[in-house]
Amino acid sequence: MTDQPAASRVLVRTEGALGRLTLNRPEAINALDLGMIQDITRALEAWKTDTDVQIVLLDGEGRGLCAGGDVRALYDQIRDGAAERTAEFFRAEYAMNALIAEYPKPLVAFADGITMGGGIGLAGHAAIRIVTERSKLAMPETRIGFTPDVGGTYLLGRAPGRLGEYLALTGRTLNGSDAVYTGLADHYVPSENLGALREALAYRADPTGPAELVLLFDETPEPSSLAAERSWIDEVFSADSMAGIMRRLTDRAEPAATETAAVLAELAPTGLAVTLEAVREARTGDLRDALTGEYRRVLWFVNHHPDLVEGIRAQLVDKDQTPRWQPATIAELAPDAGAGARAFVPSVPLFG
């Protein structure tokens, strides 16, 4: 095994045939900063041609794989007028997401515990995605007046029915069985077996591939509750606009539909309109197309719309939970509220 300083926020080492990347910022549930993204990228690039590394494993210390990006740092950068530093972060993160998705060696991700936002960008694009009974997955960006990114629109756009719109807009948290059902994960492995699975991936001498090894530990999870909710979700979230979605929610008798209407009414209307369009756009094209669309929209929020800063302020800075959105309600949205974000052209392209 190779070692490195314990203070590193990403532990990079090899174990047998396994190249292992462990996010090591447990006090922040492994929230990503630019240095962590660069460390992950460097290791992955080096292992591409390292014949001793046959499989890569991505996991995290503490309560989860990764709670997302460092949102408070994003807030500070925007307030300080350092939008280019923010753009640099997103370019590095999205390039890492694409690298994971296109990696030439099997890449296994343990989405054990909290895996949200940027954590989905790490685990969701891996070749073999594993969840456990402790997994909590979500794309909660609309909760801060923002929009899902890191290729999340690509993943959610491929969920069954209209679950992609529903999950992107509400930010609902998924358990392990939900993640498998929606296509955000491939296998359900009890957390007590992750150590044995890691050992098998690292030291199994026979030619069995990693996918076959995982099947030795895979179990069938409980049925996802989302399957039972599909009838009303698919009908409601196929509406053409946020206003249409809200109208359909109020017409439904299901208590869950009423609860969903209440959730959406509290969120940033502009972020919801942009997100609805983004998920639907990402249903066509490949991951890089989706990342490019997300990059446009994210930098439009960073540079041109106040709701992102206001959402972070209300949730994480002042913590008063009373954001003042612009506009304040879905009913006040312009007919094409996503047009500005859709048409925005960043000064530096995502992919050269």
Side-chain angles (χ1 to χ4, degrees), residues 182-269:
T182 56
L184 292 179
D186 305 302
H187 301 282
Y188 182 94
V189 176
S191 58
E192 64 183 7
N193 294 335
L194 292 179
L197 173 55
R198 186 180 68 249
E199 290 289 311
L201 292 170
Y203 298 110
R204 183 97 172 207
D206 66 40
T208 301
E212 289 75 21
L213 288 175
V214 171
L215 289 176
L216 299 176
F217 299 88
D218 180 87
E219 295 188 6
T220 301
E222 294 294 320
S224 169
S225 62
L226 286 171
E229 298 181 66
R230 279 281 305 283
S231 59
W232 73 264
I233 289 175
D234 287 355
E235 191 274 334
V236 165
F237 286 87
S238 62
D240 290 339
S241 65
M242 284 308 307
I245 287 172
M246 293 299 285
R247 283 193 296 271
R248 292 188 185 188
L249 283 170
T250 59
D251 289 340
R252 301 292 304 196
E254 294 87 353
T258 302
E259 294 167 7
T260 299
V263 168
L264 295 178
E266 295 294 322
L267 302 180

Side-chain angles (χ1 to χ4, degrees), residues 90-106:
F90 286 120
R91 286 195 299 273
E93 185 176 27
Y94 297 176
M96 176 189 67
N97 300 145
L99 175 61
I100 289 171
E102 298 164 0
Y103 205 63
K105 297 182 179 182

Side-chain angles (χ1 to χ4, degrees), residues 49-310:
T49 56
D50 187 337
T51 56
D52 291 332
V53 174
Q54 299 174 24
I55 305 168
V56 174
L57 172 64
L58 178 63
D59 60 9
E61 288 287 343
R63 295 167 52 202
L65 173 63
C66 174
D70 192 334
V71 176
R72 180 56 192 264
L74 172 62
Y75 174 87
D76 291 338
Q77 288 172 3
I78 298 173
R79 290 291 300 269
D80 293 344
E84 179 45 44
R85 288 174 56 202
T86 302
E88 179 187 6
F89 173 88
F90 286 120
R91 286 195 299 273
E93 185 176 27
Y94 297 176
M96 176 189 67
N97 300 145
L99 175 61
I100 289 171
E102 298 164 0
Y103 205 63
K105 297 182 179 182
L107 198 156
V108 182
F110 287 177
D112 182 33
I114 295 170
T115 305
M116 298 184 179
I120 298 292
L122 292 169
H125 304 302
I128 301 172
R129 305 165 299 174
I130 294 168
V131 289
T132 74
E133 79 284 353
R134 302 187 299 204
S135 294
K136 296 180 180 180
L137 285 75
M139 294 297 296
E141 287 79 5
T142 58
R143 303 299 177 100
I144 57 168
F146 204 27
T147 185
D149 64 334
V150 298
T153 59
Y154 176 84
L155 296 169
L156 292 174
R158 283 150 183 77
R162 297 293 180 164
L163 289 178
E165 286 97 328
Y166 168 72
L167 295 172
L169 293 169
T170 64
R172 173 169 165 168
T173 298
L174 307 178
N175 61 25
S177 60
D178 295 331
V180 172
Y181 177 70
T182 56
L184 292 179
D186 305 302
H187 301 282
Y188 182 94
V189 176
S191 58
E192 64 183 7
N193 294 335
L194 292 179
L197 173 55
R198 186 180 68 249
E199 290 289 311
L201 292 170
Y203 298 110
R204 183 97 172 207
D206 66 40
T208 301
E212 289 75 21
L213 288 175
V214 171
L215 289 176
L216 299 176
F217 299 88
D218 180 87
E219 295 188 6
T220 301
E222 294 294 320
S224 169
S225 62
L226 286 171
E229 298 181 66
R230 279 281 305 283
S231 59
W232 73 264
I233 289 175
D234 287 355
E235 191 274 334
V236 165
F237 286 87
S238 62
D240 290 339
S241 65
M242 284 308 307
I245 287 172
M246 293 299 285
R247 283 193 296 271
R248 292 188 185 188
L249 283 170
T250 59
D251 289 340
R252 301 292 304 196
E254 294 87 353
T258 302
E259 294 167 7
T260 299
V263 168
L264 295 178
E266 295 294 322
L267 302 180
T270 301
L272 293 174
V274 169
T275 296
L276 180 63
E277 181 179 279
V279 171
R280 291 177 174 175
E281 180 184 286
R283 283 204 170 99
T284 61
D286 59 18
L287 173 61
R288 284 181 175 251
D289 294 327
L291 287 166
T292 300
E294 292 170 352
Y295 181 62
R296 293 197 312 269
R297 293 177 168 95
V298 162
L299 290 190
W300 178 78
F301 274 106
V302 168
N303 289 281
H304 294 292
H305 202 283
D307 279 357
L308 173 57
V309 166
E310 174 62 10

